[in-house]
Amino acid sequence: VCTASPTEVGAGSGFLIAEGKHVVTNRHVVACGDEGGQVGIMTAAGEPVKAAVIWKSEAKDLAVLRVEKDPGGQPVTFATRNTLDERDKVIVAGYPGAAMRSTRDFGRVSFAEGIVSKFTELDSTAGTIRHIQITAPVNPGNSGGPLFNEHGQVVGINVQKSLTAVLVVDPSSPQGVRQERVPLGEGVAWAILSDELLVELERLHLPFTVTRSKPNAFAAEFGRQPVLFTLLALTMGIGL
């Protein structure tokens, strides 16, 4: 939980890596830690666990946290760009805020299916960052959660959808208006390619399991992995 103040709490998602001792999320999800906010995670059982940001990249919008104690659960396995083609099926997992209507829903992961619509690149001060454009719905709260292929492997980290800011008339607001984000288009969202994270995990000497080649048709039909992982709700900073 990264809390800038008692009233300033955002929402995001994250997933376990490195034998369950570390968590991956988006950098913007933990941004309030830069201003003295308290960083941590919330397990699926609703238990808060303190964490520290050990690596972050504003250019890649990625962060790695080290948790104070093992939250329990299954670390993800990864697959790289070489395993993906356009029109491949993908699954977004996370905690979209609009779906969390009651405390009874806490810890219940939301899943949404789509396809890879294309591969894109974003120029930044750190160079070219590779993204996957997807049709699966991504909403505020999904940030930092995993994007799975149909074999249960993480191929990307959910980061944003096509949104724009608009002013909405709100008589309850002191200014009479408030700002909201609305979709610019449907079926347009992005995930950071897993390759962008894996190179950083290697530099950090954090262990991971990865598939770097596309399985053949027989293996794809009979070798599908179940989606085994632990997804973590993070209430840190602002953003998706």
Side-chain angles (χ1 to χ4, degrees), residues 2 15 25 30 57 70 72 76 79 81 101 107 114-115 119 122 135 143 146 159-160 162 164 214 216 231 234 236:
C2 180
F15 54 93
T25 189
V30 296
S57 169
D70 188 348
V76 303
R81 167 68 179 86
R101 293 297 185 184
I115 64 169
F119 298 93
L122 175 69
T135 63
S143 276
V159 63
Q160 65 179 323
S162 179
T164 189
K214 198 175 185 74
N216 58 39
L231 191 66
L234 294 91
M236 312 179 180

Side-chain angles (χ1 to χ4, degrees), residues 107-193:
R108 296 178 61 187
V109 179
S110 293
F111 296 94
E113 295 184 359
I115 64 169
V116 175
S117 51
K118 68 177 181 180
F119 298 93
T120 65
E121 296 181 342
L122 175 69
D123 292 331
S124 75
T125 55
T128 300
I129 311 300
R130 293 166 292 173
H131 288 68
I132 310 167
Q133 184 176 312
I134 58 176
T135 63
V138 171
N139 290 288
N142 278 127
S143 276
L147 178 72
F148 289 104
N149 62 17
E150 60 181 335
H151 309 294
Q153 301 161 328
V154 173
V155 293
I157 301 91
N158 306 318
V159 63
Q160 65 179 323
K161 70 182 298 180
S162 179
L163 293 171
T164 189
V166 298
L167 292 177
V168 177
V169 175
D170 183 358
S172 65
S173 171
Q175 292 79 29
V177 295
R178 57 185 168 83
Q179 182 173 287
E180 283 198 358
R181 292 179 296 173
V182 298
L184 273 173
E186 296 300 326
V188 181
W190 292 274
I192 303 158
L193 196 64

Side-chain angles (χ1 to χ4, degrees), residues 15-24 54 64-67 206 232:
F15 54 93
L16 287 173
I17 61 165
E19 301 173 346
K21 300 175 183 177
H22 295 77
V23 172
V24 170
I54 65 166
V64 177
L65 317 181
R66 181 177 60 245
V67 292
L206 293 177
L232 303 166

